Every structure is written in structure tokens, then in C-alpha cells.
Amino acid sequence: MLPPLALALLMAGCAVTAKHPPVEAPPPASFKGAAEWQRVAPQMAVPEAWWTMFKDPVLDGLQADLVVGNQNLAVALAQVASAQAVLKASQSAIFPTLSVGAGSTRSATPQSGNVQGGVSTSNSLTANAAWEIDLWGRLSEGVKAAGASYQASRDDLAALRLSAQATLMQSYLALRVAEAQQALLERTVAANQRALDLTEARYAGGVVAQTDVLQARTQLRSVQSQLSDTRVTRAQLEHGIALLLGKLPGQFQLPPSAMLPELPPVPELVPSMLLAQRPDIAAARARQTVAYAQIGIADAAFFPSVTLSASAGYRGASWSKLVSAPNLLWSLGAAVAEPLFDGGQRRLASDQARASADVATANYRQAVLTAFQEVEDNLVQFAESGVSLALQHDAFEAAQRNLELVLDQYRAGTVSFLNVSAAQTSALSAEGNVLTLRNRQLVAAGLLLKNLGGRLPPPSTQQ
């Protein structure tokens, strides 16, 4: 009959516990919206600080403050440190454990029959070692899972950082657009005030009816109300930026500017580059690796655990003569443990691990699909917003020219103020649409750049 250790070693040749994720589907050859996008600019490298391509020093400064003060990033950074500690702990579990100890016991025994009782002292110095042999890959799969979990936490940090940077970029652009709209409304208020003054003068001269005055006042108050709402929007956006930077809104202020950043050159992007660069995809892939490593860990529980142990030391009554050959004691041993009945817990754990792996695989595939959808959406947005912006510029110029003609006609007394009011509303709406489309174009360009920048450096090989 084979001894337990030899039997366990023989069984090791039959154990197959490692499971590998399915091969990922290849990315498509091209993006649907890539043709228009690639025509805009030639292929180029995107810096990690992708927002610098907007050439806005204020935005650059805000992004630098973001990585320092954002509290969500601080949480993610702490989670990376925690995952790294778990990885090191799992690596250390592969090696033997060693412990030393010293003790002294003084005891009294009563006299029993012919056995003389008395007081005795026992001193000891011992060293113990134990090592679980990883025959079935439970510990190595644990290291693999911990390593993938650590990488996932790093990718989560990179993804969260990119998301925060993109949110800051969008908030900053929206704030600048709000300032531009505020400047537009202030100019419109001044123009409408002049129109009201003109109407009141014409009414006082008996040229027009009171309805013209009321219409002019209504138009003015309406634009003033829009101006008030725009100021609120701008303040709320500033408060949101302060929160992103980890600052109190009352202690943060951005100098106003009605100027929008430049439209950055957008590089060519191919689908395979997207899979390689996006940290949210990498994090989902790493979690898939973790889930499949858990299958190996669960399957290893079906096999016996094999532990080698050794101990050595000295035991005697006197400390001065403790370390001597007569007091030496030692032991070597091997133990094999195999649960015979657990009510199906190991089988259920294995089934659960496989179900979790299916979940992780589906989440990974969904992350890839979502990433491609985001890029396709922004490709279309970037391309079409340029066309819409050019058309809206023409519409604004026509509305502005129409307003000038209608005002001349009103001064000449050939039209009523109702025509002026309609022309004012049309001109204001057309210029506001220009700002909105410009913002959409900038945001789409920024989100496309985000997909190629912002990766963390690879983890150190020394854990």
C-alpha cells in the first residue's frame, strides 16, 4: 500500500484545475464613422495629458489640481494599495512558514502511591516549520487571481481618472459656453433696451400704438430672465468643478472668459488601438481572469491537501544547560487531509465559480461593446457637428442681417414691432445654437482623445 504522500504525488498527475478565459473576439476592421474623422487630421500620437491639445492653460491647471484633490481618486488609489497587499500575501502563502518560541513552565505534582510528588521546571526553545505543497494549483491560482485583481484595481484607477478628467473637461467647456451665452444675452439685453427706448419715444410721439411698447418690454424681460438662468448655470458648473477638485465651492473661483478653447486636431483611431488603450476594458478583462482563476481554486478543493512539517528544539530543567545534546528534540512529518463528506459544498463552490466566470465574461464583452458604441457615437457627433456648425453660422448671419433690415423698416414705420420681436428671437436663437454646436464639437473631440490617452504605467515586476 502506498504511503499518503506518495499517493498524493501520484494523484497530482491527474489534477487539472486551471481554467482559461475564452479567446476574445477580434475587433472590427474599421469604425463606421472613421472616414469623415480620419479626413480631419493625419495620424498622430496622443500625449497622456490629452487635454493639453485644447491649448487652454486654465484647463491644464485644473487637470493638474484634479489628480491631487479628487477624493474619488484617493479612494481608488487606496484600493490599489489594498489589492497590492493582498497580492503579496498570496505570494507569501506559497513559501514555508517558520516560527520560533521559548517557554518556561513550573509545575507541582502531588504524591501518588509510591510516586514521589514535587515541584519541577521545564524550559524550552523550539523552531517549527510548515509547508503546504501546492500540488493542485490552489495557491498558484490564488496568486494569479490576486495579481489580476491588483491589475484590475490599477485599471479601475486609470478608468476613474480618465472619467474624472473627461467630466472636468466637459464641465469646463460647458462653463465657458455658459459664459459665452451670458455675454450674448448681455449684448441682446442692451440691444433690446435700445429697441424699447426707441419704441417708447415713437409711442410718445404718437407714431406707434402702446402694444408695440408692451411687446418691446416683454422681449426685454424675457431675455433678462434667460440671462439670470444662465448666471445660475454658470455658478452651478463652477461649484461642480470645485467638487471635482476636492475644494469647497465657496473657496473656488474661475475668472470669467467668453472665449472657447481651440478645436484640437483629432488623430486617427483604429479598433484594435481602442481595445489596447481603454482601461475600463482592461479592468473587465482582468476581472475575467480573476473569475477563471477562482474556478481553479474551487476545483483544487476536491483534492487532498498535503502539508510537510518539521520542528526542533531543546527542553530541560535548567536554562544554563538547555542547549545540549541530551535535551535535543525534533520531529519530521507529512500530513494528507481529504474531506470525505461536506454536503456538496465543494461542488456548489465550483458551480458558483463557473457561474461567476460567465458573469465576468459577459461583463467584459459588454464593456467592449459599450466602448465601441461610445467611440462610434462621438465619431458621428464630431463629423456631423462640423457640418451643422457651418450651416448654423450661415443661419446666424442671415438672422442677424434680417434683424438689421427689420429694425430699419420699423424706424421707417413700414412694419410693426411684432416683426422686430420675431427677428430678435430668431437672431438670439441662431447665435445660441452656434455656441451649443461648438460645445458639442469640442466635447466629441475631447472624448475621442480620451480613448487614446491617460493610461497608467505598467505595474512593477517587483512585488
Side-chain angles (χ1 to χ4, degrees), residues 212 215 219 399 402-407 409-410 413-427:
D212 283 8
Q215 183 65 40
Q219 188 76 7
N402 179 62
L403 176 59
E404 294 172 358
L405 293 174
V406 171
L407 281 173
Q409 291 171 351
Y410 180 69
T414 58
V415 297
S416 69
F417 193 82
L418 187 62
N419 300 83
V420 176
S421 177
Q424 288 175 334
T425 301
S426 178

Side-chain angles (χ1 to χ4, degrees), residues 228-432:
S228 178
D229 288 342
T230 303
R231 286 171 178 159
V232 171
T233 299
R234 196 266 180 200
Q236 291 175 340
L237 288 168
E238 188 177 61
H239 299 163
I241 291 175
L243 180 63
L244 285 171
L245 303 183
K247 299 180 180 181
L248 291 172
Q251 299 176 349
F252 176 77
Q253 186 174 3
L254 273 176
S257 171
M259 298 295 295
L260 294 178
E262 296 181 14
L263 182 66
V266 180
E268 181 178 336
L269 175 66
V270 294
S272 59
M273 193 182 300
L274 176 67
L275 290 176
Q277 290 295 113
R278 281 187 61 130
D280 54 342
I281 294 179
R285 180 66 174 175
R287 286 192 171 85
Q288 186 186 43
T289 302
V290 172
Y292 275 86
Q294 292 295 334
I295 295 177
I297 295 173
D299 287 353
F302 288 99
F303 301 96
S305 61
V306 181
T307 304
L308 302 179
S309 62
S311 64
Y314 295 91
R315 180 177 298 162
S318 173
W319 283 105
S320 60
K321 299 180 180 180
L322 183 63
V323 183
S324 60
N327 295 330
L328 176 64
L329 56 91
W330 59 271
S331 67
L332 293 173
V336 179
E338 169 70 10
L340 297 179
F341 178 76
D342 60 2
Q345 292 184 20
R346 288 175 294 173
R347 172 55 60 192
L348 292 174
S350 179
D351 292 344
Q352 182 182 16
R354 282 169 167 75
S356 297
D358 291 340
V359 171
T361 299
N363 286 335
Y364 168 66
R365 290 171 178 168
Q366 185 62 39
V368 172
L369 292 173
T370 301
F372 278 99
Q373 179 197 3
E374 180 183 330
V375 172
E376 292 283 11
D377 287 348
N378 285 294
L379 281 170
V380 174
Q381 181 69 65
F382 182 78
E384 293 300 327
S385 61
V387 177
S388 298
L389 187 59
L391 295 173
Q392 192 60 47
H393 268 298
D394 288 343
F396 165 64
E397 291 176 359
Q400 193 68 27
R401 179 57 181 160
N402 179 62
L403 176 59
E404 294 172 358
L405 293 174
V406 171
L407 281 173
D408 290 341
Q409 291 171 351
Y410 180 69
R411 294 187 184 97
T414 58
V415 297
S416 69
F417 193 82
L418 187 62
N419 300 83
V420 176
S421 177
Q424 288 175 334
T425 301
S426 178
L428 177 60
S429 176
E431 189 168 359

Side-chain angles (χ1 to χ4, degrees), residues 47-176:
E48 182 178 350
W50 50 272
W51 58 88
T52 58
M53 299 181 72
F54 284 98
K55 298 181 180 179
D56 189 316
V58 177
L59 178 59
D60 296 345
L62 293 175
Q63 294 285 7
D65 293 340
L66 174 75
V67 295
V68 176
N70 187 273
Q71 295 307 299
N72 291 330
L73 293 181
V75 171
L77 189 61
Q79 291 172 339
V80 170
S82 176
Q84 187 176 29
V86 171
L87 172 59
K88 291 181 178 180
S90 65
Q91 290 172 331
S92 66
I94 296 178
F95 301 99
T97 60
L98 178 64
S99 61
V100 295
S104 180
T105 303
R106 187 170 177 81
S107 60
T109 57
Q111 182 175 348
S112 176
N114 295 328
V115 178
Q116 182 69 34
V119 178
S120 64
T121 301
S122 176
N123 302 314
S124 64
L125 289 174
T126 58
N128 300 286
W131 181 33
E132 180 181 350
I133 303 177
D134 190 27
L135 294 177
W136 329 113
R138 182 180 69 85
L139 298 178
S140 60
E141 287 296 305
V143 172
K144 182 179 179 181
S149 181
Y150 169 56
Q151 184 57 53
S153 67
R154 287 177 54 85
D155 291 326
D156 283 340
L157 174 60
L160 183 62
R161 186 185 65 175
L162 268 179
S163 177
Q165 290 167 341
T167 301
L168 177 59
M169 177 267 297
Q170 290 174 285
S171 298
Y172 179 77
L173 292 177
L175 181 139
R176 292 309 188 201

Side-chain angles (χ1 to χ4, degrees), residues 9-45:
L9 291 173
L10 181 61
M11 292 175 63
C14 304
V16 180
T17 61
K19 301 293 180 182
H20 303 287
V23 177
E24 61 187 51
S30 63
F31 291 106
K32 283 174 59 178
E36 283 297 321
W37 183 25
Q38 293 173 3
R39 182 178 59 81
V40 176
Q43 186 171 359
M44 62 194 308

